[in-house]
């Protein structure tokens, strides 16, 4: 033992009434609304995809052990599966909006993640 003694939480400055059941009911209601919307469904699908990604990296991780760098790695990985062609400055199709098989990378469209 190192001898460290944890200090207890200080008492609150004043006593307030908190309706924990009411708060939980409202949180449950908000979660149901979020899951039922298109945005909520996309968000849940992306969360599952992130969990799959984290489980397949080495060493495997979950949402509670993932670092910000792991999340950025997921976004880079996800970005490679897009449909938008981002032409290099030297590409002959740079600035054009038509489809081209020039070998430039495909990325996710802006504001999709």
């Amino acid at each position: 033992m190192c001898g460290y003694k944890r200090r207890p939480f200080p008492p609150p400055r004043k006593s307030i009434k908190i309706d924990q059941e009411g708060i939980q009911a409202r949180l449950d209601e908000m979660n149901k609304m979020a899951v039922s919307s298109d945005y909520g469904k996309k968000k849940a699908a992306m969360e599952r995809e992130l969990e799959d990604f984290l489980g397949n990296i080495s060493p495997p991780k979950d949402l509670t052990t993932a670092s910000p760098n792991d999340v950025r790695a997921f976004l880079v990985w996800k970005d490679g599966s897009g449909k938008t062609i981002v032409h290099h400055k030297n590409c002959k199709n740079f600035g054009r909006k038509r489809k081209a098989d020039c070998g430039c990378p495909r990325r996710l469209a802006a504001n999709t993640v």
Side-chain angles (χ1 to χ4, degrees):
M1 281 262 201
C2 68
Y4 175 78
K5 197 169 189 179
R6 186 180 296 226
R7 287 185 256 156
F9 286 109
R13 290 179 292 137
K14 67 178 186 176
S15 179
I16 57 174
K17 184 180 178 202
I18 300 174
D19 179 10
Q20 291 182 323
E21 288 180 19
I23 291 171
Q24 188 59 50
R26 179 67 176 131
L27 289 171
D28 292 342
E29 181 184 343
M30 291 169 69
N31 286 336
K32 286 179 187 174
M33 285 190 309
V35 172
S36 66
S37 70
D38 286 342
Y39 171 78
K41 290 175 185 174
K42 288 177 185 176
K43 182 178 154 194
M46 180 139 335
E47 185 175 333
R48 288 190 299 274
E49 196 171 12
L50 173 59
E51 289 170 342
D52 291 341
F53 175 84
L54 293 171
N56 282 286
I57 61 174
S58 182
K61 298 180 181 183
D62 61 17
L63 290 175
T64 60
T65 59
S67 69
N69 198 47
D70 295 325
V71 175
R72 287 194 333 240
F74 167 72
L75 293 173
V76 169
W77 172 78
K78 182 102 175 112
D79 191 41
S81 64
K83 297 178 184 176
T84 302
I85 299 174
V86 180
H87 297 288
H88 295 289
K89 288 182 185 178
N90 300 337
C91 178
K92 64 181 179 182
N93 296 309
F94 184 75
R96 296 184 185 165
K97 292 189 177 188
R98 62 181 179 87
K99 293 191 179 215
D101 292 327
C102 55
C104 290
R106 294 182 180 270
R107 301 285 186 228
L108 292 173
N111 298 321
T112 60
V113 178

